[in-house]
C-alpha cells in the first residue's frame, strides 16, 4: 500500500487589478465617496489646461471701464437736464386755459321802471338882475305895439291900442305893498299878448319872469317912481304859442320872493 502523500496547498492566486474604466456593479447601495473622488482625480489628470487668456481679460476689463464711464457721463448729463427742466417749469408762469368757446351771453337790459318824479335840473347861475327904470308920476311909457304904461301915487295905469285906459290901485286896501307879491293882467289875440302887473314888498327887485308849461321864459321890464317906494310896475309882450304862463318875482340876489301859478292868457288876475 502506497502511503499517502501529504497534500500541498495550492498556490494563492493574485488579486485581480481593478479596471479603472470599469464600474463594478453594486447593489442598491451608492458608490462610496472615496471612489468618486478617485474617479474625478483620474479624469482631471487627463485634461491639459490651455494658456491663461490674460490679454483677453485685460481687453474685457478696459471695455467694461469705458462702458461704465460712458454710462456715468450719460447719467450726469441726464440729471443736469432734469434739473434745468425742473427750474424752467418752476419759473414758467402757468396760464389758465381759455374757457371753452360757446355762445356769447345775451345781455338783458334792465326793466324800465316808470317814475313820476320830476327830472333833476342842474343848478344854474341866476341871470343878471333887470335894471329898474325910474319914471316920473304920470309919465307915459311906450310899451310897444300901441300899448302905454304910467305910474302915479294911486298905482298902475295902462292903455291899449284902442285907447281904453285901465288902473290897478295900490291905495284901495286890496294890496299890501309891504308884503312881497306880484300881480298879473294880460290881453291879447292869436298873434300875441301884452302882460303887465304890480310887484310889491321889496326895495331890491331883481326881475319878474314869465314861464309857460314847456319851460319857455320871458323877462319883463321894470318901472318905479322916484324915492324907492317899495312897489313898481312890470310889462312884457309874448308871441303866439306861448300859452298859459306863470309869474315869479325875484330879488337882486336871485332869490324867489313871490310867484303866481300858470294862468290862461287874456284872463285878468
Amino acid at each position: 500500500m502506497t502511503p499517502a502523500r501529504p497534500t500541498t496547498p495550492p498556490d494563492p492566486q493574485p488579486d485581480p487589478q481593478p479596471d479603472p474604466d470599469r464600474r463594478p456593479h453594486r447593489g442598491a447601495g451608492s458608490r462610496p465617496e472615496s471612489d468618486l473622488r478617485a474617479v474625478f482625480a483620474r479624469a482631471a489628470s487627463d485634461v491639459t489646461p490651455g494658456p491663461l487668456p490674460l490679454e483677453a481679460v485685460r481687453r474685457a476689463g478696459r471695455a467694461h471701464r469705458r462702458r461704465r464711464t460712458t454710462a456715468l457721463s450719460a447719467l450726469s448729463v441726464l440729471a443736469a437736464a432734469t434739473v434745468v427742466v425742473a427750474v424752467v417749469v418752476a419759473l414758467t408762469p402757468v396760464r389758465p386755459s381759455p374757457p371753452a368757446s360757446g355762445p356769447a351771453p345775451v345781455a338783458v337790459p334792465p326793466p324800465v321802471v316808470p317814475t313820476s318824479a320830476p327830472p333833476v335840473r342842474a343848478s344854474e347861475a341866476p341871470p343878471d338882475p333887470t335894471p329898474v327904470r325910474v319914471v316920473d308920476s304920470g309919465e307915459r311909457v311906450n310899451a310897444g305895439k300901441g300899448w302905454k304904461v304910467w305910474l302915479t301915487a294911486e298905482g298902475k295905469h295902462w292903455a291899449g291900442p284902442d285907447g281904453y285906459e285901465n288902473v290897478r290901485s295900490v291905495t284901495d286896501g286890496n294890496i299890501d305893498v309891504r308884503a312881497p307879491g306880484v300881480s298879473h293882467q294880460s290881453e291879447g289875440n292869436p298873434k300875441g299878448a301884452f302882460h303887465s302887473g304890480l310887484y310889491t314888498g321889496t326895495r331890491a327887485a331883481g326881475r319878474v319872469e314869465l314861464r309857460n308849461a314847456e319851460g319857455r321864459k320871458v323877462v319883463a321890464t321894470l318901472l318905479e317912481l322916484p324915492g324907492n317906494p317899495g312897489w313898481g310896475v312890470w310889462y312884457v309882450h309874448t308871441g303866439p304859442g306861448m300859452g298859459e304862463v306863470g309869474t315869479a318875482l325875484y330879488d337882486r340876489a336871485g332869490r324867489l320872493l313871490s310867484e303866481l301859478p300858470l294862468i290862461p292868457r287874456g284872463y285878468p288876475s
Side-chain angles (χ1 to χ4, degrees), residues 95-183:
R95 298 181 180 177
S97 300
S101 60
V106 179
V108 180
V112 178
V113 180
T115 176
S116 59
V120 178
R121 295 180 179 177
S123 59
E124 300 177 357
D128 295 334
T130 303
V132 178
R133 178 180 175 183
V134 178
V135 296
D136 293 332
S137 179
E139 179 184 351
R140 297 201 174 203
V141 176
N142 183 5
K145 299 182 180 181
W147 292 89
K148 303 290 183 180
V149 177
W150 63 97
L151 285 71
T152 66
E154 183 184 0
K156 167 202 168 191
H157 305 262
W158 74 99
D162 56 4
Y164 184 78
E165 296 184 2
N166 298 278
V167 62
R168 185 64 184 264
S169 176
V170 295
T171 61
D172 60 1
N174 292 325
I175 295 178
D176 184 2
V177 296
R178 296 170 298 180
V182 63
S183 67

Side-chain angles (χ1 to χ4, degrees), residues 3-99:
R5 296 178 180 180
T7 304
T8 303
D11 294 334
Q13 296 294 326
D15 294 331
Q17 295 296 327
D19 187 356
D21 296 330
R22 181 181 179 184
R23 296 180 180 178
H25 176 73
R26 296 183 180 271
S30 61
R31 176 178 294 180
E33 184 178 352
S34 59
D35 294 346
L36 291 176
R37 287 181 179 179
V39 172
F40 289 153
R42 286 194 299 270
S45 63
D46 294 335
V47 177
T48 301
L52 184 63
L54 295 178
E55 186 62 27
V57 172
R58 292 191 186 98
R59 286 196 302 270
R62 286 193 296 268
H64 177 72
R65 284 195 297 271
R66 284 196 299 270
R67 285 194 299 271
R68 182 177 181 184
T69 301
T70 303
L72 291 176
S73 300
L75 289 176
S76 299
V77 172
L78 181 60
T82 303
V83 171
V84 171
V85 171
V87 171
V88 171
V89 171
L91 295 179
T92 302
V94 179
R95 298 181 180 177
S97 300

